[in-house]
Structures are given as structure tokens and as C-alpha cells.
Amino acid sequence: MYTEQDIQKLQQWIEESTRIVFFGGAGVSTESGIQDFRSEDGLYRSRYRYPPEVILSHHFFMQKPEDFFDFYREKMLCLSARPNAAHYKLAELEQTGKLTAVITQNIDGLHQMAGSKQVLELHGSIHRNFCMECGREYPAAYIKQTTGIPRCSCHKKGIIKPDVVLYEESLDAATLRQAIHSIQEADMLIVGGTSLAVYPAAGLLNDYQGHKLVLINRSSTPYDDRADLQISGSIGRILGQLSVP
């Protein structure tokens, strides 16, 4: 569990820094009621006809799109979720000019809902969907209300694919370059709510050249011994205690 001294040091480093970058994962959104993958209650421990990591693969999407969308609507389209204290505090830090980027593995759009502008979505977003034939865009609410395979109104009736990175698909190259550049330029890197087990995203920490690497997570990560400050606990509760300079 974290101490008051941990919070004080985090507060001090934020006050001293001018180019803070936040890198976050599923744990940032679990406090908003969105299920993660690897915790005790995560999707990987759920029981379905197929394992979630199989369902969320490019091959499965192409071969069994109806089964994919049944899972996707039920487990991935959490449109009622709202930002929590962590999202709001990061948006506040951005507004002061101290936070230069939020790099997220999440696809829920909660950082933008809280007010963050410079958000780099490594794994895409549920809020962007497009026809695979004509490219027409559709909102997440449209996918949520459909049944079976959602199809476009174009003459080819193309499948509407969520703009999320599935297993077997590559990260968007431009977004990845922006993330690397932001981390290289950062004088403080706060990493929160991620097990740092998913690559290439987790490997981005290797691009940080500074001496204020902060890891905030409920459980241990492979990078704990490299952190300049490691805090164990709820990221919403921890960030929520901070005052914005």
C-alpha cells in the first residue's frame, strides 16, 4: 500500500516537471466499471464458447463475424461508462500545460470525455467504426443497437468494422511514432493501470530517457525495479489526491 510520502513525492515531481506524459492501460478504466482482461474478474477468466483472445483476433473477425459482434457488443461496448478521478485529473494537468500527452491502450474514449485533447490511442477506439467497402463512418451507438453483423447502407452492404486493433493486427504507425516521440521528450513519465505485459505497447517505456518514472498499479509489473517511484493502489484514488499546480 502507498504512503503519504509517496503522494508527496509524486506531487513534488509534478510541480517540478514541464513535459509530463501519462501512459495507461485497462486499470485506468476499471474504476469506471469497464472490465479489464487479466485481473481475477477479467475477460480472460470469463467462459465463452471461444476464448476472448481468440474472439478478438483478426482471423476470427473475418471467419466468424457474427460471433465476434455478439461478444463485442456485450463486453466491449460499455457506452454508459463515465470518466473517473484519474481521467479528470489528467485532463486538468493537460489544461495547465504540464501534461503533453496521454498514451492509452484503452479503446473506451473516457480520456476525451473527461476533457483531454492530446490522446494517443494505441489500440484504436470503439467510437470510430467504418464500412470495409466504402469507408463510411458510424458511431458506436449504431453498432450497439444492431443485431448480427452490422452492415453499411452502401450498395455493397459492407461489414462495419470497429476501428480497434485486434490480435494479429499492427498498431497504427503514425500513432506509435507520436507516442515514442512524446515519451522521448518527457521529463516525467507516469505509467498507470497496466500490467505492462502487452507488446509492443509495453516496450515504449524503454524510450524514456528521464529520471522520474512513476509506476502506479494495483499489482506488480515487470518494470517495477526500474521505476524511480513505485506506488501500489487505486490510480483514481492516488491521482485524485493531487492538487494541480
Side-chain angles (χ1 to χ4, degrees):
M1 194 62 182
Y2 61 89
T3 66
E4 183 62 32
Q5 287 71 32
D6 292 331
I7 303 300
Q8 290 174 357
K9 179 176 284 190
L10 178 60
Q11 179 74 53
Q12 178 187 341
W13 284 2
I14 288 175
E15 292 173 357
E16 295 172 350
S17 303
T18 58
R19 298 184 310 280
I20 303 170
V21 169
F22 178 80
F23 176 88
V28 179
S29 293
T30 53
E31 292 174 48
S32 294
I34 295 179
Q35 196 173 14
D36 67 358
F37 278 77
R38 292 175 173 80
S39 69
E40 284 188 17
D41 300 319
L43 290 176
Y44 279 174
R45 297 177 184 270
S46 302
R47 295 185 179 180
Y48 293 92
R49 185 178 175 188
Y50 304 95
E53 62 268 35
V54 172
I55 298 173
L56 296 174
S57 68
H58 177 81
H59 178 79
F60 191 91
F61 173 82
M62 298 302 293
Q63 296 297 316
K64 297 180 180 294
E66 188 162 1
D67 288 332
F68 170 89
F69 279 107
D70 285 346
F71 177 88
Y72 182 78
R73 288 188 195 91
E74 180 183 355
K75 293 298 182 181
M76 310 300 288
L77 283 182
C78 303
L79 302 185
S80 62
R82 292 295 177 265
N84 59 57
H87 297 106
Y88 285 118
K89 189 63 65 174
L90 292 168
E92 286 184 56
L93 282 171
E94 183 188 72
Q95 290 164 10
T96 68
K98 280 185 169 289
L99 187 80
T100 59
V102 168
I103 303 169
T104 180
Q105 296 171 281
N106 298 334
I107 60 176
D108 49 51
L110 293 181
H111 285 293
Q112 292 94 326
M113 194 181 296
S116 291
K117 306 297 184 186
Q118 187 59 25
V119 182
L120 301 175
E121 297 171 310
L122 294 176
H123 295 157
S125 172
I126 62 171
H127 297 287
R128 297 188 299 270
N129 304 272
F130 61 93
C131 172
M132 297 177 70
E133 295 292 340
C134 74
R136 179 178 175 181
E137 298 179 357
Y138 288 84
Y142 179 85
I143 305 298
K144 186 75 169 180
Q145 70 184 9
T146 60
T147 57
I149 304 169
R151 293 191 178 275
C152 183
S153 59
C154 68
H155 71 281
K156 291 188 177 181
K157 301 296 182 184
I159 295 176
I160 303 171
K161 184 183 185 298
D163 186 17
V164 299
V165 179
L166 302 176
Y167 291 101
E168 305 163 353
E169 294 180 343
S170 300
L171 302 186
D172 178 72
T175 303
L176 187 57
R177 283 195 300 270
Q178 283 184 274
I180 292 171
H181 178 73
S182 296
I183 289 175
Q184 289 174 338
E185 295 293 312
D187 60 3
M188 181 177 183
L189 178 60
I190 304 174
V191 181
T194 172
S195 62
L196 294 173
V198 177
Y199 286 82
L204 291 174
L205 270 66
N206 296 324
D207 292 298
Y208 178 60
Q209 306 299 316
H211 302 286
K212 295 176 185 172
L213 173 58
V214 181
L215 295 187
I216 305 172
N217 204 43
R218 291 181 184 274
S219 56
S220 61
T221 79
Y223 284 80
D224 284 0
D225 59 346
R226 294 174 52 179
D228 300 297
L229 176 62
Q230 194 270 328
I231 305 176
S232 178
S234 156
I235 188 165
R237 187 172 300 137
I238 291 165
L239 293 188
Q241 295 181 56
L242 302 174
S243 60
V244 175

